[in-house]
Structures are given as structure tokens and as C-alpha cells.
């Protein structure tokens, strides 16, 4: 369960970027915020602010509007137009106090607006609210991509990773492999040992799979139910089958008793392995279907084995 910051908890140190060309404002803000669990960085122009964000993503940005060169509105617009920086809350701090100015700030993507001369306690309180909301948003984003039972990536995350890796492999003219993994006779396991034991078994299988993948780029997810999936880049079909065999052996080595299985005395998995070289005439669905067909053959051939797709790596 992701940690959700609450009202009563102090927030962890927050990284705040102060963007203002007036040194006096910067000093007052930095002093007040650093005494309130914030680490402040300073940028004295719009251009420098964009560079500071690119080098390290802050939790909140305090942004002046009237600055030489890029003004605050434009800085905010540029941040909001990029996927990596779009979610950083921007709190405008400006001497402009007409409703029209404030509206422009919100239209540019601002999350809040404080007029100068500001009351420092108010700025501090608003920063804390935005840090808390940002942390909550990050925790929610994380949990929406995580499988609650096993802690592995979930199907949604898998779809994202597969699309990303497919594109990357296509650009590099590299191969992409998929392992479709299914626990053998899992219905019998549940019937024999109960669903709580079944859940524990799925957790342990997930851990084994994760632990057996050696390269940092290798990816494993729970596909759904008792099915898991792994995405591996840059392997030929034989290497992919070898990785599949590592996973199969890792689960078998856990030696989780499965008296009701006809595939063996312990919990085992069947794996369908497929490797393709992505190009623009192909879709990743082809890879999933090839691995799925190979998994079907692994089941039909007696389970507890790896079957490679006949599609090959080209
Ligand atoms: N305990 C538990 N069981 C689950 C979960 N998700 C799916 N299952 C069970 O997994 C079982 C899958 O059964 P089947 O699809 O018939 O497959 P199987 O018994 O593994 O048979 P084969 O795949 O042919 O070896 C069903 O009984 C589901 O209820 C879960 O999160 N926890």
C-alpha cells in the first residue's frame, strides 16, 4: 500500500525552486521555506528556471511573472507542454493583482497565485499544501501501475512498457522477447489449500520471477489471475528460451508443495517464449499472440516447461 501523506504528518524535505529576478524576495522566501522542511534552489531568470528544472525535478515552483527575457507565463506554458514537467505545481508570486493577470496565470497551467507584497506564512502554508498534493498524486500514480497482491508491475504498466520497448527495439533494429507465464493447475491449488494459500503462492511465484531476472532492463509483471509476463530486449530466440528456463527453474526451486498437481509434486509454471524484430508493419499484439500460442503448446505438452514460438526472431 503506498504511503499517503496526511495532514498531521510533517512532509518529507521538499525541493522548491524559487524563480525571481529580485534578490530580496528570494532571500526572504528561501529563509522562510528552509525553516519549514524545504530545500530551496534559486533561478533568477525564466531561462535559468527551465535549465534548473531539467537538471532536477522540483516538488514545487514559486514563479515570478515579470522578468526580463522569458516571463513567468511562458515558463509555465513550456513546463506544462512537456510530459516530464507537466505535473510540477507552479505557484505564481506576482505584484500583478488584476483578476485578468491571475486568470492568465491559471490558463498557463498555474496551480496557485499569491500577490506581492506577500505574507510569508501564507506562502509557506500554500507550498506545504501543494507538496502534500503532489506526493499524494505521485503515490496514486504509482499504485495505479502496481499489482496489489504481488507488488509487481500490473497489466497497465506492462502495456506501457511493451509499447515503449517495442518502439525502442524498432528504432534500434533490435529484437524484443516476451515470456507468457502461467502457474500450472492453480485452480487445483486453490481447491486443495484454499485461496489464502493461493494468494501467498502467487506472491512467492512473483518474487521468484523478479529475482531470477538478472539484467536491470528486464521487466516482469502480473498479467492477471495466475498469469505473469516478462519483457526482455536484445535476445535471440535461443537466449530468450534460456531466460525462460531460468524462471521456470527458479519457481520450481521454491518447492511450494502442490499435492493436487499432475505436473509434479511442487508448484510449477509453463512458459511460452516469443522473439520478434519490431518494424512498422508489425504490432506488439503479434508478439503477445506468439507467446500465448507457445504457452498453449507448453500446457498441452505436459506443463512445467518452456516452449519457444515458431515465429523466430526475424
Ligand atoms: N488465490 C487466488 N487465486 C486466483 C487469483 N487470480 C486467479 N486465481 C485463480 O486461478 C485459477 C486459474 O485456473 P485455470 O485458469 O482453470 O487454470 P489452472 O487451474 O492453473 O490450469 P492450467 O493453467 O491449465 O494449468 C482460478 O481458479 C482462479 O480463481 C488470485 O488473485 N488469488
Amino acid at each position: 500500500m503506498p504511503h499517503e501523506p496526511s495532514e498531521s504528518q510533517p512532509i518529507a524535505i521538499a525541493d522548491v525552486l524559487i524563480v525571481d529576478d529580485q534578490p530580496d524576495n528570494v532571500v526572504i522566501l528561501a529563509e522562510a521555506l528552509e525553516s519549514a522542511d524545504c530545500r530551496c534552489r534559486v533561478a533568477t531568470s525564466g531561462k535559468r528556471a527551465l535549465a534548473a528544472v531539467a537538471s532536477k525535478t522540483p516538488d514545487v515552483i514559486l514563479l515570478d511573472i515579470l522578468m526580463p527575457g522569458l516571463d513567468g507565463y511562458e515558463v509555465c506554458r513550456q513546463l506544462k507542454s512537456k510530459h516530464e514537467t507537466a505535473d510540477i505545481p507552479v505557484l505564481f508570486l506576482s505584484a500583478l493583482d488584476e483578476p485578468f493577470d491571475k486568470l492568465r496565470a491559471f490558463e498557463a497551467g498555474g496551480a496557485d497565485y499569491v500577490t506581492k507584497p506577500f505574507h510569508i506564512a501564507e506562502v509557506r502554508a500554500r507550498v506545504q499544501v501543494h507538496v502534500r498534493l503532489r506526493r499524494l498524486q505521485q503515490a496514486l500514480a504509482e499504485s495505479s501501475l502496481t499489482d496489489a497482491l504481488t507488488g509487481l508491475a500490473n497489466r497497465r504498466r506492462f502495456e506501457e512498457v511493451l509499447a515503449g520497448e517495442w518502439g525502442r527495439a524498432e528504432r534500434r533494429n533490435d529484437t524484443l522477447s516476451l515470456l507468457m507465464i502461467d502457474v500450472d493447475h492453480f485452480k487445483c491449488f486453490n481447491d486443495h489449500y484454499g485461496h489464502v494459500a493461493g494468494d501467498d503462492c502467487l506472491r512467492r511465484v512473483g518474487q521468484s520471477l523478479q529475482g531470477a531476472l538478472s539484467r536491470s532492463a528486464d521487466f516482469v509483471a502480473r498479467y492477471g489471475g495466475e498469469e505473469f509476463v516478462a519483457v526482455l530486449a536484445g535476445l535471440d530466440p535461443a537466449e530468450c528460451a534460456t531466460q525462460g528456463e531460468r524462471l521456470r527453474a527458479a519457481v520450481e526451486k521454491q518447492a511450494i508443495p502442490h499435492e493436487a498437481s499432475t505436473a509434479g509434486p511442487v508448484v510449477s509454471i509453463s512458459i511460452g517464449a516469443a522473439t520478434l524484430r519490431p518494424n512498422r508493419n508489425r504490432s506488439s499484439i503479434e508478439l503477445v499472440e506468439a507467446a500465448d500460442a507457445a504457452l498453449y503448446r507448453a500446457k498441452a505438452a505436459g506443463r512445467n516447461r518452456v516452449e519457444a514460438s515458431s515465429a523466430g526472431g526475424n
Side-chain angles (χ1 to χ4, degrees):
M1 185 70 185
H3 174 73
E4 292 181 5
S6 76
E7 287 282 323
S8 55
Q9 287 170 327
I11 52 175
I13 299 287
D15 182 18
V16 179
L17 179 66
I18 303 171
V19 188
D20 201 317
D21 59 334
Q22 301 281 323
D24 293 354
N25 288 338
V26 170
V27 171
I28 297 167
L29 285 167
E31 272 178 10
L33 292 172
E34 291 199 340
S35 67
D37 288 328
C38 294
R39 192 180 302 116
C40 296
R41 288 184 292 148
V42 175
T44 50
S45 73
K47 203 171 156 202
R48 289 198 177 117
L50 293 174
V53 173
S55 77
K56 184 168 183 274
T57 307
D59 291 305
V60 176
I61 301 174
L62 297 186
L63 185 56
D64 186 22
I65 295 178
L66 298 176
M67 295 181 288
L70 285 184
D71 69 14
Y73 297 129
E74 185 51 32
V75 171
C76 190
R77 259 183 238 114
Q78 291 198 22
L79 292 171
K80 298 294 154 183
S81 71
K82 290 207 187 90
H83 174 71
E84 316 83 67
T85 54
D87 290 336
I88 307 169
V90 173
L91 194 162
F92 280 97
L93 267 177
S94 175
L96 302 176
D97 66 351
E98 293 295 325
F100 168 77
D101 303 313
K102 296 178 186 173
L103 207 58
R104 266 189 86 188
F106 285 109
E107 280 168 1
D112 207 346
Y113 197 106
V114 176
T115 47
K116 294 178 185 173
F118 49 78
H119 194 289
I120 193 62
E122 180 188 343
V123 175
R124 199 164 45 205
R126 285 179 189 264
V127 166
Q128 285 177 325
V129 166
H130 288 294
V131 169
R132 211 167 260 135
L133 287 174
R134 169 110 167 114
R135 297 263 155 85
L136 196 57
Q137 185 194 40
Q138 287 168 329
L140 281 173
E142 178 70 27
S143 78
S144 76
L145 298 173
T146 304
D147 173 56
L149 179 71
T150 61
L152 294 180
N154 64 13
R155 169 101 176 239
R156 192 170 157 208
R157 178 83 185 116
F158 160 67
E159 308 278 0
E160 282 183 6
V161 168
L162 180 62
E165 290 297 319
W166 183 269
R168 195 192 317 269
E170 186 181 330
R171 287 193 296 280
R172 294 181 179 175
N173 190 28
D174 208 347
T175 58
L176 191 65
S177 302
L178 197 80
L179 299 173
M180 195 60 89
I181 304 157
D182 188 286
V183 183
D184 295 326
H185 295 306
F186 194 60
K187 181 178 182 313
C188 300
F189 187 95
N190 273 331
D191 292 347
H192 193 81
Y193 298 99
H195 273 80
V196 173
D199 285 353
D200 193 46
C201 174
L202 290 176
R203 268 187 223 105
R204 292 178 65 186
V205 168
Q207 282 162 9
S208 303
L209 298 175
Q210 182 87 77
L213 288 177
S214 46
R215 304 177 312 168
S216 62
D218 293 343
F219 171 83
V220 65
R222 186 176 179 205
Y223 193 67
E226 85 298 12
E227 282 191 285
F228 296 84
V229 69
V231 180
L232 314 168
L235 304 180
D236 65 29
E239 290 167 332
C240 171
T242 303
Q243 288 302 311
E245 178 52 29
R246 276 175 68 117
L247 300 187
R248 190 207 62 76
V251 171
E252 194 174 52
K253 201 169 155 220
Q254 284 256 4
I256 305 166
H258 191 347
E259 284 182 12
S261 173
T262 54
V266 297
V267 167
S268 61
I269 54 174
S270 296
I271 299 181
T275 298
L276 286 180
R277 198 174 294 276
N279 64 45
R280 65 171 181 279
N281 300 318
R282 288 178 142 159
S283 125
S284 59
I285 294 171
E286 205 181 318
L287 187 60
V288 176
E289 285 176 348
D292 218 23
L295 171 61
Y296 185 79
R297 283 191 281 111
K299 291 281 182 184
R303 298 177 174 79
N304 192 18
R305 69 194 61 220
V306 181
E307 281 286 329
S309 164
S310 51
N314 292 307

